[in-house]
Amino acid sequence: MTKWILVPLCVTFGLGCASERKSPDLPFQLPQEFPYVQRISLPRREAQEEVLSRWWESFGDPQLVRLIEEALKANPSVKEALARIEEAKALKVQGAAEILPQVGIGASVQRREGNQAKGATAYSSSVESSLQLDLFGKAKKGLEALQEGILKEEENLNYVLSELASEVAITYVELCASQKKLLLLKERLQRCETQYRDLVFSRYRAGLTDHSDLEQAQREMALLRYEILQKEREIETRRASLCALLGRPPGSLEALEIPDEVPLPPLEVVMASPAEVIERRPDIRMAKREVLARVAYLEEAKRNRFPILKLLGSLALEALTLGDLIHYPSVTLRIGPSLDLDLFTGWGKAGQIRQQEAKLKQALAQYERAVLEALGEVQQILCSIQTHWGMIQETEKALEAAREILKLEEARYLSGLSDYEGVIQQRKSLYETQISLADLKAQLALDFVDLYKALGGGCQEEDRDGRKEVP
């Protein structure tokens, strides 16, 4: 039995040059450091990769670490980002098909009839192959653009992870701050109830005060109970938000033990130069990948004006019977080049080039805006840290003064020199100062979260080469 086998040997030539993977030029000069750095009174240290990549561990709260790591694995946004990477890789596989051999097979049976000749049946089978030679680098540039699309989606995953870690930390810090305020409210209510029972009511029974002091004390306790209910509702709302970030249904964190103090990292400002910030931040790296992709698409559009050269080959077997088709077929072998060139397309290809040039300008503008916003964000966070740290120091002094004033006012009430309204006002002032201090500490913790994120924290070093795996 005679067997005919056609095995195309394919070699593809690419003459285009790969675009350099450097950052796009900026129309302004980057400063060596952030201007506000010298005004920071807190200790400073250089940003280290091991600190930034898992910055949440610096807060010294194992529960926060566990919650963030769970969110990085289970949040739907992470799953969506991973699926987008798979889609981008599939698009590259489709694009690579243009420079790979195309092989097809076919078979047919035909009945031929004529006016004078007797009808006959013809059997045929064929194998056809083609290979597009990328002589001018068009396909190569298209693959470069698709590869940049993959890297952009991987940077998007890094961005999602960074945002998610900061959102979990922010929600957790706010939850701890609400818990601290709830405890302060309960302590204040307990103290009011004790004073009402042991002091106000006893003085009223002894005839040392009138009924107005009782009404004032009862009104104060009623308002405190109302505030406690509001704060408990606020805690449940934040707990539900935390469930959503962890990819859990509402109510699944009822057993979560909330600390009564806001976790704080070491009071050291982690700093990096503007150039390092640009290198680390995933949103800026996404914008950079978009610019490189647009450069590749522009080069692809320019090369689309050149002719398309293909190598074509086909093998056809024909016979009048099926047996002859297997053993004694009529063989036709064709092989040769094919050249296609569009002579006039109504300036359509020139329009495609102008379109890609416009998209490249948009990508460059978006990159420039991302850099400016990132640098401004770091500057604002540094200012906020310094401001809140100074306010904490002053509020701690005011808190000590409020405690002393309350003691004096209680002594004046016991000696009959003032009414109970003065005690209520001073106790309210003390409570408001305690709340202000708790808020400022929470805000300082949030400032550190924002700083770590603004410096590009939350991404592993190997993530930036497009080999990201969710921790």
Side-chain angles (χ1 to χ4, degrees), residues 159-177:
Y159 177 77
V160 169
L161 294 174
S162 177
E163 287 287 323
L164 184 59
S166 65
E167 287 180 13
V168 173
I170 289 171
T171 305
Y172 185 77
V173 167
E174 291 175 344
L175 189 60
C176 294

Side-chain angles (χ1 to χ4, degrees), residues 64 67 164-178 235 237-246 253 256 258 446 449:
L64 174 61
L67 291 173
L164 184 59
S166 65
E167 287 180 13
V168 173
I170 289 171
T171 305
Y172 185 77
V173 167
E174 291 175 344
L175 189 60
C176 294
S178 297
I235 289 175
T237 301
R238 299 194 188 284
R239 199 189 294 261
S241 299
L242 194 58
C243 287
L245 292 171
L246 269 60
L253 287 177
L256 181 69
I258 307 173
L446 296 179
V449 172

Side-chain angles (χ1 to χ4, degrees), residues 276-292:
E276 291 173 332
V277 171
I278 293 175
E279 183 64 24
R280 282 193 177 105
R281 283 185 57 135
D283 54 341
I284 297 180
R285 297 176 65 86
M286 284 174 59
K288 171 186 172 182
R289 294 298 177 187
E290 180 65 19
V291 171
L292 295 176

Side-chain angles (χ1 to χ4, degrees), residues 22 40 196 412 418:
K22 65 178 183 179
I40 298 292
Y196 177 80
R412 283 169 55 85
S418 64

Side-chain angles (χ1 to χ4, degrees), residues 189-441:
L189 176 62
Q190 183 179 6
R191 186 171 182 178
C192 288
E193 290 174 341
T194 301
Q195 283 194 344
Y196 177 80
R197 181 182 62 253
D198 298 341
L199 181 61
V200 179
F201 190 72
S202 61
R203 285 172 60 84
Y204 173 75
R205 292 184 61 182
L208 299 177
T209 184
D210 57 13
H211 194 268
S212 62
D213 285 352
L214 290 179
E215 292 178 345
Q216 291 174 354
Q218 291 171 354
R219 183 174 66 251
E220 181 186 17
M221 290 187 291
L223 291 173
L224 287 174
R225 293 187 183 100
Y226 175 74
E227 290 185 37
I228 288 173
L229 291 176
Q230 283 188 318
K231 194 59 63 178
E232 288 175 343
R233 180 182 177 184
E234 179 182 301
I235 289 175
E236 291 307 313
T237 301
R238 299 194 188 284
R239 199 189 294 261
S241 299
L242 194 58
C243 287
L245 292 171
L246 269 60
R248 292 189 184 188
S252 57
L253 287 177
E254 293 299 327
L256 181 69
E257 295 184 2
I258 307 173
D260 54 5
E261 292 292 340
V262 174
L264 278 172
L267 295 180
E268 297 177 333
V269 177
V270 178
M271 276 311 307
S273 67
E276 291 173 332
V277 171
I278 293 175
E279 183 64 24
R280 282 193 177 105
R281 283 185 57 135
D283 54 341
I284 297 180
R285 297 176 65 86
M286 284 174 59
K288 171 186 172 182
R289 294 298 177 187
E290 180 65 19
V291 171
L292 295 176
R294 287 302 157 192
V295 170
Y297 279 126
L298 176 58
E299 293 299 319
E300 181 188 25
K302 291 179 179 179
R303 286 160 173 76
N304 196 34
R305 299 172 298 178
F306 301 146
I308 299 175
L309 180 62
K310 293 182 179 180
L311 292 180
L312 304 177
S314 66
L315 175 66
L317 307 180
E318 296 181 337
L320 296 178
T321 66
L322 187 59
D324 289 343
L325 182 66
I326 298 174
H327 299 287
Y328 310 104
S330 173
V331 181
T332 303
L333 176 64
R334 296 185 180 91
I335 187 169
S338 170
L339 183 66
D340 295 328
L341 176 63
D342 294 328
L343 296 179
F344 181 72
T345 59
W347 296 284
K349 293 185 177 180
Q352 292 176 0
I353 293 175
R354 288 197 295 268
Q355 180 187 24
Q356 293 303 327
E357 288 175 344
K359 289 186 176 181
L360 175 57
K361 292 178 181 178
Q362 295 174 36
L364 287 169
Q366 291 170 0
Y367 176 78
E368 179 183 347
R369 182 180 63 192
V371 171
L372 290 173
E373 289 179 351
L375 299 182
E377 182 181 353
V378 174
Q379 181 79 351
Q380 291 174 9
I381 294 171
L382 293 175
C383 178
S384 182
I385 288 176
Q386 177 62 24
T387 301
H388 288 134
W389 173 242
M391 293 175 67
I392 286 174
Q393 293 177 308
E394 295 301 324
T395 305
E396 287 177 342
K397 296 177 183 178
L399 182 61
E400 292 299 322
R403 289 195 177 102
E404 293 300 323
I405 294 174
L406 177 60
K407 291 179 181 179
L408 292 175
E409 191 64 32
E410 288 175 342
R412 283 169 55 85
Y413 176 70
L414 285 174
S415 61
L417 298 177
S418 64
D419 58 9
Y420 195 66
E421 179 65 25
V423 175
I424 292 177
Q425 293 301 323
Q426 293 304 323
R427 191 156 50 208
K428 181 180 179 182
S429 177
L430 174 63
Y431 167 73
E432 290 175 347
T433 307
Q434 290 174 322
I435 292 296
S436 296
L437 183 60
D439 283 333
L440 288 171
K441 289 183 177 180

